Amino acid sequence: MRPVYGAACRSRECEVGRAPARLPACRGGGNLSAMVDKPWVMRTYAGHSSAAESNKLYRLNLAKGQTGLSVAFDLPTQTGYDPDHELSRGEVGKVGVPIPHLGAMRQLFKDIPLDTMNTSMTINATAMWLLAMYEVAAEEQGAPPSSLSGTTQNDIIKEYLSRGTYVFPPEASMRLTTDMISYTVNNIPKWNPLNICSYHLQEAGATPTQELAYALCTAIAVLDAVKHSGQVPEDKFDQVVGRISFFVNAGVRFIEETCKMRAFGKLWDEITAERYGVKDPKMRRLRYGVQVNSLGLTEAQPENNVQRIVLEMLGVTLSKSARARAVQLPAWNEALGLPRPWDQQWSLRLQQVLAFESDLLEYEDIFDGSHVIDAKVNELIEGAKAEIDRVQAMGGAVPAVESGYMKQAMVGSHADRRARIESGELKVIGVNCYTETEPSPLTADLDSAIMTADPKAEANAIADVQKWRAERDQPAVGKALDRLRDEAKTDTNLMEATLAAVRAGATVGEWAGALREVFGEYRAPTGVTGVVGVTEAGADLKAVRTRVKEAGEELGGRLRLLVGKPGLDGHSNGAEQVAVRARDAGFEVIYQGIRLTAAEIVAAAVAEDVHCVGLSILSGSHMELVPQVKQGMVDAGLGDVPIIVGGIIPDSDAKKLEALGIARIFTPKDFGLTKIMDEIVTEIRKANGLD
């Protein structure tokens, strides 16, 4: 999910839980008595450049009708690094807002009353830290913890499987999650401390059955851990269940997505009743928000993305009994780069037209009694139960992560889907069929069709964090971090020590660094090993295999391709699929996973004596990271080894990278992996004077 430059709404009528059945100003005096249901919470995933700029964006757009905030944090904040850390280079303020310390959190929510605002924070590994800063910022506004409402995503399991912003090993990460849930149930009762996120599972290739099963296995793992910890009294455990929410994906197959959500609700009700003995139906209700499928959007004919977004929204709004409580939509141009505020306004208006102009909310569930819907729901339930049983037999979600089982299953599903797109079996309009098009006025000037991140954001954030450190009480910070380390070695709930570190003035990098010293770090299985991307090679793949073999023989061995993920971008789906297809094509593939420095990638290229280096970057940091790798290769005597780059890269940036000597640039429009393999062989031959 690409974070965007979004909007929000602060009018008292529109606040979450306070929205009237129908807003007269939006309805133009329509028939209010016909209203049966409230609109869902309307959010936009938003944050960029700096706390001040993001705050201005939130307040500027609150009046546009958004009914909740959804904060996008930048990758250093998400992975526990300060802006001046080596791994933060090129990533600061790119896919969200940098919030390394309490001063930045104060600025982010300046003049936004946190006692009445409903705030969703997409944060996982460092969720405890961000919630602690939010609580202290609210405290300074005069808002007690009991008044705060909102959500921290805090789903670390899916980070190992898809998005990659994990920090600590699974056991330590689950401890942080458990501590946070226990603390909020007892101290912030209106807060949702865990938002189990199947969204990224679908983007990483999960089928609807896998998405249901793995999300519910995560919920079981967390609930079991909370129960086992003994931090929540038995008579309060139903409140733990009642405060867990879900964040799901909605693809363009909106009938199937509707059935998926109906199945989701039935499965959750059954699990919470039978496994955990929750008697109150309200506590067993599936509460979920949704972001429709960003990575399903296309660079080719991007205007088609508008109807895709609408269809995806219908999948989670049409069925009243399975309707999302909050919806956020991407913009039509996210496959091109960062959307502008106007683009996000367009997406917000799509929601408002459906909620306030259509008659959707005036009826009971229109699918009740449909034998077609019931049959599909039952099929999904049976498939999900079988997969849940398989994971539970392995010991649950954590062992299934550590063994690589769930990751490999999703990589395999994704490879199958890619193969069906390439063969034309799965049609994508404007990409592999109906590609003829008139020139689009929306993309006539690509440079102005997207927003450019503030080039000074990183330097400003570095100066800010260094100023913050210089002006704080350093002994107090040291004492607070010592307490954090000491308590991390025990089974003490770490939330109080984290709050103390926030108040003392510690930074996110220092908090995470202290815990890294105790817990260590972790590198999750890539899921690439053992996956077969193409079971039956067609003529095109056979031809590429021949070229790979011939070039290898001419160079004295098998062709070796290094696939690298520099920086903090954890969206590894593309890199994984390139690695799988390259192996299918006969390459020897070196893929070490995510979060590598340029020096580590260069060292691997030297050690493995590779013939080509492929870099995958989806965070927008290509102009900083690619030149680092290129210069490192030159310094290591590998300047003649071709470098190819894949990602969401504007045409103007692609031209600059090519001028630096990058051999090829691939963007989302280049969906044919076998063709890409063929072009890699061509670049290798050219670099070695074989043609």
Side-chain angles (χ1 to χ4, degrees):
M1 175 174 53
R2 285 186 62 79
V4 294
Y5 293 71
C9 174
R10 210 180 84 201
S11 63
R12 287 300 176 100
E13 306 96 323
C14 295
E15 287 161 7
V16 175
R18 300 168 175 78
R22 181 72 80 190
L23 301 183
C26 299
R27 196 63 168 171
N31 181 9
L32 304 186
S33 63
M35 194 62 184
V36 184
D37 202 11
K38 294 178 182 179
W40 50 90
V41 179
M42 299 180 190
R43 303 189 194 273
T44 302
Y45 187 47
H48 70 99
S49 302
S50 70
E53 287 301 311
S54 296
N55 172 265
K56 187 186 303 181
L57 178 68
Y58 295 162
R59 291 186 293 107
L60 176 68
N61 290 310
L62 285 169
K64 290 181 180 178
Q66 194 169 309
T67 52
L69 291 177
S70 181
V71 182
F73 298 101
D74 72 353
L75 288 173
T77 303
Q78 292 184 52
T79 51
Y81 294 106
D82 288 337
D84 53 356
H85 191 279
E86 177 189 8
L87 275 170
S88 299
R89 184 174 177 185
E91 306 282 17
V92 178
K94 281 280 172 52
V95 301
V97 57
I99 305 293
H101 55 73
L102 178 59
M105 183 64 85
R106 290 174 184 143
Q107 179 62 58
L108 184 66
F109 293 107
K110 183 180 179 183
D111 297 326
I112 297 175
L114 298 185
D115 59 340
T116 58
M117 180 53 60
N118 186 293
T119 304
S120 172
M121 294 192 281
T122 301
I123 197 76
N124 297 284
T126 57
M128 179 179 284
W129 177 257
L130 269 297
L131 178 61
M133 287 201 293
Y134 189 86
E135 180 181 334
V136 174
E139 179 183 284
E140 293 177 348
Q141 287 187 2
S146 60
S147 71
L148 304 182
S149 62
T151 302
T152 32
Q153 194 168 99
N154 201 22
D155 176 4
I156 201 63
I157 295 293
K158 61 92 179 174
E159 294 300 324
Y160 301 118
L161 297 175
S162 53
R163 193 161 164 267
T165 62
Y166 56 82
V167 176
F168 313 111
E171 184 177 351
S173 296
M174 287 292 283
R175 185 257 182 99
L176 293 175
T177 298
T178 299
D179 284 357
M180 232 182 100
I181 291 171
S182 303
Y183 176 83
T184 55
V185 166
N186 292 312
N187 297 278
I188 317 179
K190 292 194 292 183
W191 194 266
N192 299 324
L194 176 66
N195 191 223
I196 294 172
C197 182
S198 70
Y199 175 90
H200 294 99
L201 302 183
Q202 186 181 119
E203 288 202 335
T207 64
T209 297
Q210 289 171 331
E211 185 180 345
L212 287 168
Y214 298 160
L216 290 168
C217 283
T218 296
I220 290 169
V222 172
L223 288 174
D224 285 356
V226 172
K227 186 174 276 287
H228 179 72
S229 75
Q231 296 187 62
V232 177
E234 192 65 35
D235 62 356
K236 275 192 171 184
F237 193 75
D238 61 343
Q239 295 179 38
V240 174
V241 174
R243 297 317 304 179
I244 287 181
S245 59
F246 291 80
F247 186 69
V248 307
N249 203 330
V252 74
R253 293 169 57 84
F254 70 97
I255 300 298
E256 185 173 58
E257 295 294 343
T258 296
C259 294
K260 180 185 77 179
M261 296 318 305
R262 289 170 73 94
F264 219 144
K266 289 175 185 269
L267 285 164
W268 182 239
D269 183 76
E270 181 179 313
I271 288 169
T272 53
E274 295 182 3
R275 187 180 181 99
Y276 299 106
V278 179
K279 292 182 172 53
D280 186 346
K282 291 181 180 179
M283 294 296 180
R284 302 199 306 264
R285 187 179 301 155
L286 179 78
R287 299 178 307 113
Y288 78 96
V290 64
Q291 158 97 9
V292 308
N293 194 349
S294 295
L295 288 187
L297 306 182
T298 65
E299 179 184 7
Q301 297 180 25
E303 62 274 11
N304 294 336
N305 293 331
V306 176
Q307 53 263 37
R308 290 187 179 106
I309 291 167
V310 170
L311 290 172
E312 291 167 347
M313 175 174 54
L314 292 179
V316 292
T317 55
L318 282 177
S319 175
K320 179 177 179 178
S321 64
R323 184 169 294 149
R325 289 199 170 196
V327 178
Q328 55 194 48
L329 303 182
W332 68 277
N333 55 350
E334 282 198 32
L336 304 176
L338 289 172
R340 301 156 299 188
W342 181 85
D343 304 314
Q344 281 308 302
Q345 176 181 300
W346 189 359
S347 289
L348 177 61
R349 297 297 184 244
L350 296 179
Q351 294 199 58
Q352 291 168 329
V353 168
L354 179 64
F356 300 120
E357 291 190 26
S358 86
D359 58 354
L360 173 68
L361 300 179
E362 297 173 11
Y363 295 91
E364 294 302 316
D365 200 303
I366 62 176
F367 293 112
D368 285 349
S370 167
H371 67 275
V372 174
I373 295 294
D374 288 346
K376 183 63 179 178
V377 169
N378 290 334
E379 175 192 325
L380 289 168
I381 287 174
E382 291 307 310
K385 283 184 174 180
E387 188 64 11
I388 289 170
D389 288 345
R390 192 171 294 115
V391 171
Q392 294 306 112
M394 297 175 186
V398 171
V401 164
E402 293 172 333
S403 70
Y405 168 75
M406 288 197 288
K407 178 68 172 178
Q408 185 171 318
M410 291 194 303
V411 172
S413 296
H414 199 178
D416 176 66
R417 181 177 183 276
R418 289 298 302 249
R420 287 189 291 124
I421 291 175
E422 288 186 68
S423 70
E425 177 188 348
L426 183 61
K427 291 184 174 8
V428 182
I429 307 304
V431 174
N432 65 357
C433 62
Y434 305 113
T435 55
E436 303 79 7
T437 182
E438 296 296 323
S440 170
L442 292 174
T443 57
D445 180 2
L446 279 176
D447 288 339
S448 65
I450 56 174
M451 192 164 185
T452 303
D454 182 358
K456 298 179 181 178
E458 184 166 320
N460 292 340
I462 290 172
D464 171 72
V465 77
Q466 291 176 347
K467 181 175 184 289
W468 176 266
R469 292 194 199 109
E471 295 177 350
R472 67 190 181 179
D473 183 343
Q474 192 58 45
V477 173
K479 183 179 178 181
L481 293 175
D482 285 342
R483 174 187 173 184
L484 181 66
R485 291 186 195 92
D486 291 342
E487 294 189 4
K489 297 171 186 175
T490 71
D491 60 0
T492 303
N493 188 303
L494 292 177
M495 194 68 194
E496 291 292 351
T498 297
L499 283 163
V502 168
R503 293 188 177 102
T507 65
V508 65
E510 291 168 333
W511 176 84
L515 293 181
R516 280 183 172 100
E517 292 176 31
V518 179
F519 297 148
E521 291 194 76
Y522 185 72
R523 187 167 290 278
T526 65
V528 169
T529 304
V531 173
V532 177
V534 180
T535 54
E536 294 184 13
D540 291 344
L541 183 55
K542 287 178 180 176
V544 173
R545 284 176 177 170
T546 299
R547 292 195 72 207
V548 170
K549 182 179 179 182
E550 289 175 350
E553 289 172 349
E554 290 178 67
L555 293 172
R558 192 175 172 193
L559 290 190
R560 291 178 295 283
L561 172 67
L562 171 65
V563 178
K565 288 282 299 174
L568 297 176
D569 169 33
H571 286 92
S572 57
N573 307 334
E576 291 155 4
Q577 294 307 309
V578 167
V580 169
R581 185 59 58 84
R583 194 179 59 212
D584 288 345
F587 284 92
E588 179 182 337
V589 178
I590 297 93
Y591 176 55
Q592 299 173 328
I594 63 172
R595 214 177 302 167
L596 301 171
T597 65
E600 288 171 330
I601 291 172
V602 172
V606 172
E608 300 291 346
D609 191 23
V610 300
H611 297 97
C612 182
V613 172
L615 304 177
S616 172
I617 306 173
L618 291 173
S619 65
S621 58
H622 45 269
M623 292 308 299
E624 292 84 7
L625 298 177
V626 173
Q628 285 185 56
V629 176
K630 176 64 176 175
Q631 188 58 53
M633 294 285 285
V634 171
D635 294 343
L638 299 179
D640 57 343
V641 173
I643 297 175
I644 61 171
V645 180
I648 299 176
I649 301 174
D651 187 59
S652 57
D653 286 353
K655 289 182 170 63
K656 294 173 186 175
L657 292 175
E658 287 169 351
L660 289 175
I662 302 305
R664 289 299 308 274
I665 309 292
F666 297 105
T667 67
K669 71 177 181 296
D670 303 300
F671 70 94
L673 287 174
T674 297
K675 183 180 179 182
I676 289 173
M677 295 305 118
D678 191 51
E679 295 185 30
I680 290 173
V681 178
T682 297
E683 294 301 331
I684 291 173
R685 294 187 67 86
K686 189 189 305 181
N688 288 276
L690 299 181
D691 291 328

